Amino acid sequence: MPRKKFDVVNLPTDPQLLQDLIEALAERSTDTAIKHVRQLPVKRQILLRDPQAKWQLSKLREKRAALIQTRGDVAASACFQCQANKGLFTQCVVLDGFIQGGCVNCFLTRSHSDNSRSCSLRTDDRKVEAARRYIKDYNRRPANDRKSEASDNTQDADRETFEREPLNPTISEESAVPAQIPNTASNKIRLVGYLELPNPESYGLDELYVQQIFSILPYLQELDNRDLREFEKFTEREGQAWQSSRRHPERLSSLVSPSGSLDSIIAHHLQQPSFTTDALSGGETADPSNGCIAMVMGNAFRRGETLLFDHLHRRDSESEGLKTYPQDVIRAHEDFTWYLMAFSAAKVEIVYGRVVQERILKKMECTVLPLWARFSGVLLILIHESNFDNAERQYKYRKIMLFVAHPHRMFYEQRGSLTTIRQDLTFEVASLITSLEISVDTEYYQSKKWYSNMPNASKRALQKAQELTQYSSLQDVESCVEDQKTELKDTRMKSDTLDGEWCLFFTDKPYSNQVTRELIPAALEATSLAIEQGLKDWQDPSEFPLPVLEWFKGQKEVLFHYGPVSSTKDIEIAFKKCVAAQRFKAQGENY
């Protein structure tokens, strides 16, 4: 006998009939979460904020939300959305362990086009996911939407969609103390330093968001008025931590000291040093022989002054110490990192890469403030004073963090991509926060100006020789370096694959034959289309069509064993082989 079909689109308006439908759908559902929630007692019937609102029970998310709304707990303090009378249901309902710690209304809202919304009741662990989704969704938007936000057109509906909902705006009870609201008679307000934006009251932002901005402003402006032997102690503690864990650090790895001064007005915070360096032992973070560091040092940086440090301070071949190191060792490293942050005078800190950004959001109390107008898409991460042992109670925030993409990603970004635009905008914000005491190039990433700072081919050859000797005796290093230099001069052997200006675009590990075969058809099709459209004059791999770039970056020491790679001519031999192989395969399939 066929199962009874329910109308999940045209829902009944009678609360009891709606409840019966929800229960019937839950009874036949195979979803584990729904099965668990269904065992809980019913506490209420669903009441819609707008009785005429159109909603359905066709999707799993909607079925889960409806069931939790009938069985969850009413939040002790409603989230910001529910306080503003937004959302489908009249009550702000949560259920511990479900829907990521937020309320049902916000959970349903995120299923719609505005994926940037996030419930203010969500747990700290979920802030990471919320921040990542905000940035990811922003980057996916069409370029013309992004350009329209750079103008002062306050009627841009798409922009308002993003700006009306601040990302996890968290205002603690202590910050609720009445603060003097700055004079907003002009068309602009000053946030900190020289960073000025249009008055949010006249910019069409949500009223709750405007209140949050003005509650934060006085504390932000306090930052303008705030008036390394420790590394040696850290070295000793880190060694003891390895000893107590009964493990050993990676062979030939060494500790790398921070660079610059604690008095620097700006700081650069990276992840972990690698073996890509000409300083085999020790050294400091400001190492121009490393491509990623050289890129960082080319903008908003003064040699010998600007504070530059890693989150973990020991060289690692994979830079994944947060995953692989013993907890005692990680604690020793992070204690030293927190020390640098606590005693640094920098009021703005630029943090590179998702790994460190997620760690900070999990470990530190902070408030996330998305900017608007021309800087829409840039986030101010306001680090609370209470995070530090040397906290001064009269201040609310210690510093501002700005999250940017890891330098390694910039190797693969095309000129003028949305990611490079946002990277440059973020650095411009950093300069404004410091009252222009640090100058930045506002087209440094969009125009790939960092390329001129990259270490030359001979230096990369030396680095490769040092990397190859990680697991051999130290006394063999010098001879290996000389052998590598001789190979570069006299022959074109396999080790030459790391030479050539385009070697920076290769991934660390080459693709398998199977992955390469799967990528070739799309790369060939994209190349043929580019040739037809006259778009094959590529200056470097970042301008390749995406399928071609994806194919290219995994071919280190696979297809390019015959010499250095610095232009399209150098890859022509390998590409012709791929074309021939693809044709041969096609002919074979026809027989």
Side-chain angles (χ1 to χ4, degrees):
M1 183 177 177
R3 295 200 307 175
K4 179 182 178 181
K5 292 185 178 181
F6 296 107
D7 187 352
V8 294
V9 176
N10 301 304
L11 303 181
T13 55
D14 180 82
Q16 186 57 54
L17 292 177
L18 179 59
Q19 184 68 33
D20 293 342
L21 175 60
I22 292 171
E23 298 298 329
L25 292 172
E27 184 179 4
R28 73 165 54 172
S29 176
T30 59
D31 179 64
T32 304
I34 287 180
K35 286 182 177 180
H36 185 89
V37 175
R38 185 169 173 266
Q39 302 304 316
L40 302 176
V42 177
K43 295 182 178 179
R44 71 188 63 79
Q45 292 181 336
I46 283 182
L47 295 176
L48 300 180
R49 199 179 300 279
D50 177 6
Q52 305 302 318
K54 298 294 182 182
W55 67 298
Q56 303 178 7
L57 289 172
S58 56
K59 297 179 181 178
L60 179 60
R61 175 187 289 267
E62 294 162 340
K63 294 172 185 175
R64 285 180 180 175
L67 198 65
I68 292 174
Q69 186 70 17
T70 64
R71 287 162 164 81
D73 302 311
V74 176
S77 178
C79 73
F80 291 135
Q81 300 303 320
C82 293
Q83 287 180 31
N85 293 323
K86 295 182 179 180
L88 187 63
F89 305 126
T90 57
Q91 293 175 301
C92 184
V93 174
V94 297
L95 184 59
D96 189 35
F98 290 87
I99 57 176
Q100 303 170 351
C103 79
V104 174
N105 276 329
C106 292
F107 181 70
L108 274 178
T109 300
R110 288 198 302 275
S111 68
H112 297 156
S113 59
D114 183 9
N115 291 322
S116 64
R117 288 191 182 182
S118 179
C119 186
S120 60
L121 301 180
R122 290 173 68 183
T123 59
D124 287 344
D125 284 345
R126 295 296 176 176
K127 287 181 181 178
V128 174
E129 182 183 338
R132 185 191 305 170
R133 187 177 65 250
Y134 180 92
I135 296 171
K136 185 176 181 181
D137 291 340
Y138 181 84
N139 284 337
R140 283 179 172 175
R141 300 175 68 193
N144 57 348
D145 285 356
R146 179 63 188 86
K147 290 176 181 177
S148 67
E149 289 180 349
S151 69
D152 287 331
N153 180 8
T154 60
Q155 304 303 317
D156 188 337
D158 286 341
R159 179 191 58 218
E160 290 182 6
T161 302
F162 266 78
E163 294 173 345
R164 287 191 175 192
E165 302 302 336
L167 174 63
N168 275 331
T170 54
I171 306 177
S172 62
E173 292 181 5
E174 57 180 309
S175 69
V177 177
Q180 181 179 358
I181 301 297
N183 181 12
T184 59
S186 68
N187 293 328
K188 289 187 176 182
I189 62 169
R190 184 180 69 86
L191 275 75
V192 60
Y194 289 173
L195 178 59
E196 291 186 347
L197 290 175
N199 189 330
E201 289 183 322
S202 59
Y203 199 73
L205 302 184
D206 184 87
E207 184 178 351
L208 274 177
Y209 188 16
V210 173
Q211 291 176 9
Q212 184 201 13
I213 292 169
F214 284 124
S215 70
I216 288 173
L217 264 181
Y219 301 108
L220 267 181
Q221 293 170 353
E222 283 176 347
L223 289 174
D224 279 340
N225 304 318
R226 299 195 70 160
D227 290 327
L228 280 164
R229 278 179 3 189
E230 187 67 23
F231 184 73
E232 297 172 7
K233 298 178 184 177
F234 156 65
T235 301
E236 184 178 346
R237 288 195 298 269
E238 199 250 8
Q240 293 170 350
W242 281 109
Q243 208 169 23
S244 64
S245 67
R246 297 184 180 181
R247 290 194 32 203
H248 301 283
E250 189 174 6
R251 189 169 182 181
L252 296 189
S253 71
S254 59
L255 292 173
V256 179
S257 66
S259 300
S261 168
L262 289 175
D263 293 328
S264 171
I265 198 169
I266 191 171
H268 297 266
H269 186 161
L270 294 109
Q271 181 177 343
Q272 186 172 7
S274 70
F275 284 101
T276 306
T277 175
D278 59 11
L280 186 64
S281 177
E284 61 175 288
T285 312
D287 175 14
S289 69
N290 177 283
C292 288
I293 300 298
M295 187 186 298
V296 170
M297 292 173 64
N299 204 25
F301 185 86
R302 295 174 186 161
R303 188 68 183 263
E305 297 181 19
T306 303
L307 182 61
L308 180 65
F309 63 96
D310 289 288
H311 196 79
L312 300 186
H313 309 273
R314 177 173 288 280
R315 293 198 188 281
D316 187 89
S317 57
E318 302 294 333
S319 297
E320 292 186 347
L322 285 172
K323 292 182 180 179
T324 61
Y325 284 4
Q327 286 303 310
D328 286 348
V329 175
I330 293 175
R331 191 176 301 112
H333 279 265
E334 289 194 323
D335 283 348
F336 179 60
T337 299
W338 305 145
Y339 165 84
L340 292 175
M341 295 169 62
F343 289 95
S344 162
K347 63 181 177 182
V348 59
E349 188 170 305
I350 299 175
V351 183
Y352 295 83
R354 190 175 66 189
V355 173
V356 178
Q357 293 163 6
E358 290 182 355
R359 191 74 176 176
I360 287 170
L361 288 172
K362 285 181 179 179
K363 290 286 186 179
M364 308 195 83
E365 185 180 357
C366 60
T367 298
V368 182
L369 179 67
L371 298 184
W372 60 98
R374 190 166 72 88
F375 296 114
S376 179
V378 177
L379 308 178
L380 297 188
I381 314 298
L382 310 177
I383 303 299
H384 289 214
E385 180 78 14
S386 57
N387 288 298
F388 303 98
D389 291 338
N390 61 346
E392 299 180 41
R393 294 185 179 275
Q394 68 267 34
Y395 297 108
K396 174 67 177 176
Y397 302 118
R398 171 63 64 94
K399 63 181 65 195
I400 300 168
M401 285 188 176
L402 296 171
F403 287 177
V404 297
H406 194 279
H408 192 265
R409 178 172 177 179
M410 292 298 115
F411 291 130
Y412 304 102
E413 286 293 330
Q414 295 185 354
R415 284 183 171 86
S417 70
L418 292 181
T419 299
T420 60
I421 290 173
R422 187 161 55 83
Q423 194 96 334
D424 282 331
L425 282 173
T426 305
F427 273 83
E428 186 177 349
V429 167
S431 178
L432 291 168
I433 290 174
T434 65
S435 303
L436 301 180
E437 289 189 35
I438 291 291
S439 60
V440 300
D441 187 331
T442 56
E443 293 187 353
Y444 183 71
Y445 290 98
Q446 296 173 65
S447 301
K448 287 187 174 288
K449 293 183 180 181
W450 50 262
Y451 202 79
S452 61
N453 299 324
M454 293 300 102
N456 58 36
S458 60
K459 278 195 173 184
R460 288 196 297 272
L462 291 173
Q463 292 168 10
K464 179 58 179 175
Q466 292 164 350
E467 289 177 37
L468 292 173
T469 58
Q470 284 181 57
Y471 304 104
S472 21
S473 170
L474 277 171
Q475 63 188 2
D476 296 331
V477 173
E478 187 174 346
S479 60
C480 286
V481 171
E482 291 304 318
D483 290 343
Q484 187 76 4
K485 291 166 72 176
T486 302
E487 288 174 2
L488 274 170
K489 185 180 293 184
D490 300 333
T491 66
R492 284 192 170 187
M493 299 180 66
K494 189 175 181 179
S495 59
D496 286 333
T497 56
L498 284 187
D499 197 3
E501 294 300 322
W502 288 9
C503 75
L504 295 168
F505 293 88
F506 288 132
T507 55
D508 290 335
K509 297 179 181 179
Y511 292 152
S512 66
N513 291 338
Q514 178 62 29
V515 172
T516 298
R517 281 193 293 268
E518 292 173 356
L519 293 174
I520 284 175
L524 290 174
E525 183 178 350
T527 302
S528 299
L529 182 61
I531 292 173
E532 290 176 7
Q533 297 176 348
L535 301 175
K536 60 182 179 64
D537 186 20
W538 301 317
Q539 300 299 315
D540 61 62
S542 70
E543 298 181 357
F544 288 175
L546 288 180
V548 178
L549 176 59
E550 188 63 30
W551 165 82
F552 174 82
K553 67 184 184 182
Q555 304 307 317
K556 179 174 70 172
E557 298 182 7
V558 178
L559 294 176
F560 303 124
H561 57 82
Y562 49 80
V565 182
S566 300
S567 67
T568 51
K569 290 183 179 179
D570 293 332
I571 68 172
E572 188 175 355
I573 299 173
F575 202 74
K576 284 182 177 179
K577 288 182 180 180
C578 292
V579 173
Q582 191 69 11
R583 288 174 180 168
F584 180 79
K585 178 184 176 183
Q587 290 171 1
E589 291 174 348
N590 291 331
Y591 286 106

